[in-house]
Amino acid sequence: MNDHLLQQGCPNKICSNYGKNNDVAVHDKKLNRLRCRSCGKTWSIHYQEFYFGLHTNPVKVRRALDMLKAEIPIRKIAKLVDVSSGTVMRWKKKLNNFNFN
């Protein structure tokens, strides 16, 4: 695990070290998990990535997001990417809520 990964801050909003990386430790190298030494909260190093938690091939997701940006209708995107329209709507919602820092 690289040192730059330890630059993540605690995601626990009630922790005194929320967003600060001064008290973060490696919890599990194999599973790429970190732990806040103050509150004990553990999290995946990938939790801030857009694709985190999606069970679909990232290439499919990227194609669908590109089509959404081109304002192609959701049902047509779903048919072209071979997923349900509800899945495309969830990706769209996640894209709108995702913080691109």
Side-chain angles (χ1 to χ4, degrees):
M1 197 173 317
N2 299 333
D3 289 332
H4 75 278
L5 298 175
L6 294 177
Q7 299 302 316
Q8 293 188 21
C10 180
N12 186 0
K13 291 184 180 179
I14 60 172
C15 179
S16 61
N17 286 325
Y18 173 68
K20 300 176 188 172
N21 62 352
N22 59 345
D23 216 8
V24 174
V26 175
H27 179 66
D28 188 339
K29 277 187 179 182
K30 186 175 181 183
L31 297 176
N32 293 325
R33 294 190 61 79
L34 301 174
R35 179 178 51 82
C36 175
R37 290 184 179 134
S38 296
C39 67
K41 169 84 173 164
T42 63
W43 67 94
S44 168
I45 61 171
H46 301 291
Y47 87 99
Q48 293 176 325
E49 296 174 3
F50 178 79
Y51 296 102
F52 179 72
L54 298 180
H55 298 283
T56 307
N57 182 340
V59 174
K60 267 188 177 184
V61 177
R62 174 54 52 199
R63 283 183 56 213
L65 295 178
D66 289 343
M67 287 186 248
L68 281 169
K69 289 177 185 175
E71 298 182 0
I72 296 173
I74 289 177
R75 287 184 181 174
K76 187 168 187 169
I77 294 170
K79 187 174 181 178
L80 292 170
V81 180
D82 195 28
V83 294
S84 74
S85 58
T87 300
V88 176
M89 288 173 41
R90 277 194 310 277
W91 293 343
K92 181 180 179 181
K93 182 179 178 183
K94 186 171 183 172
L95 179 66
N96 291 338
N97 293 333
F98 192 73
N99 187 7
F100 289 100
N101 288 334

